[in-house]
Amino acid sequence: MLVQFIQACEGTLATALVVMVMSVLLPEGDGAVKARSARLRTGGLALGITAAIVFAALRGTGIITQRTAVNVPTLIACVVCDLLGFAAIIAGAAARPGTRRYALCNAAAACAIAMMAFRALPGVVLQLTNFIVPGEPVFTSEMLLRALGFVLGIALSVIAAAIFRTMRGTLPRWSFVLVALLLEALVLAEHAVDLAKVLQSVRRIRLRGTSFKVLVQLVNHSTWFTIGEAAVFLVLIVMSIVYGMRMKPTAPISGRDFRFLPGMPVVYAMDSEPNAAVVRMRLKYRRHAIAAAIWSLVMVAGITVTLTYGIAKTQETITLSPPEAYSMSDGTITITYAQVSDGHLHRFEYTAADGTVMRFIIIKKNGSAYGIGLDACANCGDAGYYEKDGKIICKRCGVAINLATIGFSGGCNPIPFDYTSGDGAITIQTSTLDALSSNFR
């Protein structure tokens, strides 16, 4: 449950927050203008979600196995669209509704939202395949807990965006512009780090020394970006508290009343004494400003604590068993039954022709049947599997794999490959493993 919650929250929070700030910064205007703007941004979100679902389906069914070939162009597109998002925020702050400039700002925002959703959501969608372990009943307590964690993770992102949005009525527009720029900067940095990681892995760029160490730290602590995307709203929280406390119910009427009290009649003169209606409006504004700030602060703290604890809990150091020895001759790997017939997980390592270090696993299932596959899956990559309490568990997502399904594709099962079994041994052609080396890049 915790794994599904963390992955769903991490995958959806940035998208929810960007959609929210764009709707705050670009909704002005009435009637058809406002409707067109909202439809454009909603269309971008729908397009991104649809593309993410299609891409996740292609990955989950094994149609797309070379993820690098997809990641490089899509990450470049994400960086470009993030820059368009910056332009939409800056230009949209001064654009008048109904103008061509305003329409272009909404189009740029739609592109940024679409690419962000496409990049972030496939991992969330693939979590659906881990709810049910192949070979087990559909409705189990573990399946329901996984589904609950998934729903709660998405719900936290949506609720956080909705709560942060409540501060829009108590703060000046420029404050949301500032926070939107900080949020977009974090999103851009996250996409740039992912792009650098992919380019480094395929050796299109060569980072060394300090730059490489920084990249490694950012890749290993990607949760910092998610927490930072929520933490930028601390700027609005502090401002909302300050503005709320500075609104004195009985002070003479000032320009602040006309800026922040939507029901303030213009007939009042500056520095005049407030009547009961103005006092009520000021008290309402003050309560709303402070309440919105407190609830937003609770949400930032909740996201930070939940993700920090959750990541620490789900990534407790699990050491994979060391690879075992085997014999290899003339491109054929031979592993005797005696070596793997104890019913436990056995891990082996092989260096492919292209230099990639690969791992594969073998476990005796029942009778004379063996479960054989890569120490990697289509959903979670090359995180690997470990044995605990007689179960084979994916290190990354924590799903227990049904022994009967090891050797078959689908879900979080180890990626299967061809082998030969007989005469007291299992034989594997190195050419078969060479063709699958991309799963460990």
Side-chain angles (χ1 to χ4, degrees):
M1 173 180 176
L2 185 58
V3 172
Q4 282 74 32
F5 174 83
I6 296 299
Q7 293 187 347
C9 181
E10 280 193 299
T12 56
L13 182 62
T15 303
L17 294 179
V18 170
V19 170
M20 182 273 291
V21 295
M22 291 299 185
S23 70
V24 170
L25 297 176
L26 297 171
E28 295 185 0
D30 296 310
V33 172
K34 185 174 182 179
R36 282 197 301 270
S37 301
R39 282 198 301 268
L40 196 58
R41 295 191 304 274
T42 302
L45 179 61
L47 178 62
I49 292 175
T50 303
I53 292 173
V54 172
F55 180 57
L58 294 176
R59 276 182 54 188
T61 55
I63 296 176
I64 292 180
T65 57
Q66 298 286 342
R67 287 181 293 172
T68 301
V70 178
N71 284 338
V72 171
T74 55
L75 280 170
I76 292 174
C78 282
V79 171
V80 172
C81 288
D82 291 338
L83 295 175
L84 288 177
F86 271 111
I89 294 168
I90 296 171
R96 290 185 301 168
T99 63
R100 179 175 296 181
R101 181 179 180 181
Y102 183 74
L104 289 175
C105 288
N106 276 282
C111 291
I113 291 170
M115 286 307 303
M116 181 177 301
F118 172 70
R119 176 64 189 171
L121 298 184
V124 178
V125 175
L126 285 171
Q127 282 295 306
L128 297 172
T129 64
N130 295 332
F131 287 176
I132 302 172
V133 177
E136 291 187 358
V138 174
F139 293 104
T140 64
S141 57
E142 290 186 359
M143 184 278 290
L144 293 175
L145 285 175
R146 294 187 196 110
L148 179 61
F150 179 82
V151 172
L152 289 177
I154 297 176
L156 179 63
S157 298
V158 175
I159 292 171
I163 289 177
F164 294 153
R165 184 184 172 88
T166 60
M167 292 185 286
R168 75 190 189 283
T170 59
L171 295 173
R173 182 180 175 82
W174 65 262
S175 62
F176 262 89
V177 173
L178 172 62
V179 169
L181 290 173
L182 293 174
L183 176 62
E184 196 66 38
L186 283 172
V187 172
L188 173 61
E190 186 174 10
H191 288 156
V193 168
D194 288 342
L195 179 59
K197 179 185 72 173
V198 175
L199 293 177
Q200 176 79 8
S201 67
V202 297
R203 301 178 183 179
R204 294 189 186 178
I205 62 172
R206 295 292 182 90
L207 298 179
R208 295 181 176 86
T210 302
S211 59
F212 180 74
K213 293 178 181 178
V214 170
L215 176 63
V216 170
Q217 287 297 313
L218 292 174
V219 170
N220 292 338
H221 299 86
S222 58
T223 308
W224 292 350
F225 289 108
T226 306
I227 294 174
E229 287 156 0
V232 296
F233 287 88
L234 288 172
V235 175
L236 299 184
I237 291 170
V238 172
M239 290 183 62
S240 189
I241 292 175
V242 171
Y243 275 81
M245 296 300 295
R246 287 175 61 188
M247 183 65 76
K248 305 298 183 182
T250 58
I253 293 174
S254 66
R256 180 180 302 277
D257 293 296
F258 295 100
R259 289 199 307 270
F260 296 113
L261 301 181
M264 183 74 180
V266 295
V267 296
Y268 289 101
M270 298 287 286
D271 299 324
S272 63
E273 291 299 319
N275 59 20
V278 174
V279 171
R280 286 195 299 270
M281 284 190 290
R282 286 174 167 179
L283 287 172
K284 181 179 178 181
Y285 170 90
R286 186 174 185 176
R287 286 194 300 268
H288 177 75
I290 295 176
I294 290 175
W295 279 109
S296 297
L297 182 61
V298 168
M299 188 57 62
V300 171
I303 291 172
T304 302
V305 172
T306 301
L307 291 182
T308 302
Y309 169 79
I311 294 295
K313 190 69 177 175
T314 57
Q315 292 185 351
E316 290 178 342
T317 303
I318 298 172
T319 304
L320 298 179
S321 59
E324 302 178 21
Y326 56 84
S327 62
M328 183 170 66
S329 177
D330 297 328
T332 301
I333 294 172
T334 302
I335 300 169
T336 63
Y337 289 161
Q339 187 176 353
V340 294
S341 62
D342 58 1
H344 292 291
L345 179 71
H346 295 267
R347 194 182 325 275
F348 302 90
E349 192 173 272
Y350 167 72
T351 301
D354 61 4
T356 302
V357 178
M358 306 174 62
R359 303 184 309 275
F360 61 94
I361 57 175
I362 300 177
I363 185 170
K364 187 174 183 180
K365 298 192 287 189
N366 54 63
S368 59
Y370 288 85
I372 302 175
L374 297 183
D375 196 20
C377 76
N379 291 349
C380 299
D382 59 358
Y385 302 86
Y386 64 95
E387 184 177 355
K388 181 180 180 181
D389 300 328
K391 296 181 179 180
I392 306 303
I393 301 173
C394 175
K395 181 180 178 181
R396 178 160 296 166
C397 70
V399 168
I401 309 301
N402 186 354
L403 286 181
T405 65
I406 296 179
F408 297 92
S409 60
C412 207
N413 284 332
I415 297 171
F417 56 83
D418 294 332
Y419 64 93
T420 303
S421 179
D423 297 328
I426 296 168
T427 57
I428 304 166
Q429 300 302 311
T430 58
S431 58
T432 300
L433 297 178
D434 290 338
L436 297 172
S437 64
S438 60
N439 292 286
F440 289 86
R441 292 176 184 170

